[in-house]
Amino acid sequence: MSVIEKLKTESMRLRKERDPLAPKLVFALSEIDKVGKNSGNRATTDDEAVKAIQKIISNIDQTIDLLPVNSSTSYDLQREKKILSGLLPQMASDDEVRELLKEILGDETPKNKGVAMKVIRDQYGAKVDMKRAGEIVTEIYGI
């Protein structure tokens, strides 16, 4: 089941239960749909949906940092974050990234960092932290 389908299912469940978080998931769905609509009036891909959810979670984290610790708003945002985080696929681990680089590039150092980063992005898409992947490439190849 895709991330979008999981989010739709969870949103429907919360709406049926009349949960106060239901409108926030509907908003997340609209943000995800907007990505594809703004990029050629097409359906949003799963990788784009993952990135959109990650951005929403990042915004939630920033908002939580600004709120008093035990406020009710903070509690609601923590719940929303937990639901959205639960929808995301498991991210690629550091070991998986290292194994991929050894498998595809072997011991040969790539011409530049971009070559290795493209290999990682092509394999994992939005399921990898590209900042951390860049650190791993630098660690392995020294570029």
Side-chain angles (χ1 to χ4, degrees):
M1 185 183 294
S2 75
V3 173
I4 298 170
E5 291 169 347
K6 288 178 185 176
L7 182 56
K8 285 179 181 178
T9 303
E10 187 66 16
S11 172
M12 183 62 71
R13 184 184 69 76
L14 291 179
R15 284 185 281 165
K16 285 179 181 177
E17 294 175 0
R18 300 197 184 278
D19 191 299
L21 285 182
K24 295 186 182 227
L25 294 189
V26 172
F27 171 77
L29 278 168
S30 70
E31 287 296 306
I32 290 170
D33 285 342
K34 199 185 310 181
V35 173
K37 296 276 185 204
N38 290 342
S39 182
N41 200 22
R42 58 174 175 72
T44 304
T45 66
D46 217 33
D47 276 350
E48 291 169 334
V50 168
K51 288 179 185 176
I53 291 173
Q54 288 170 335
K55 182 177 180 187
I56 292 169
I57 290 171
S58 172
N59 291 341
I60 290 171
D61 285 337
Q62 291 173 0
T63 304
I64 289 171
D65 290 342
L66 298 174
L67 293 171
V69 177
N70 291 326
S71 70
S72 63
T73 306
S74 177
Y75 173 75
D76 288 344
L77 288 171
Q78 290 286 358
R79 267 190 71 214
E80 180 183 2
K81 178 182 173 183
K82 183 178 179 183
I83 290 169
L84 291 173
S85 296
L87 299 173
L88 293 175
Q90 184 173 350
M91 300 296 278
S93 69
D94 290 358
D95 291 336
E96 289 173 323
V97 171
R98 285 186 181 91
E99 287 298 317
L100 175 70
L101 290 172
K102 286 179 186 177
E103 181 181 311
I104 305 249
L105 299 176
D107 293 331
E108 184 178 323
T109 302
K111 297 177 188 174
N112 59 42
K113 192 173 189 174
V115 172
M117 297 300 284
K118 182 176 182 340
V119 166
I120 296 168
R121 183 175 294 115
D122 288 348
Q123 177 68 30
Y124 293 115
K127 296 175 186 123
V128 67
D129 178 0
M130 291 304 288
K131 182 178 178 183
R132 180 64 188 132
E135 293 169 358
I136 292 170
V137 169
T138 301
E139 175 186 309
I140 293 173
Y141 300 110
I143 52 175

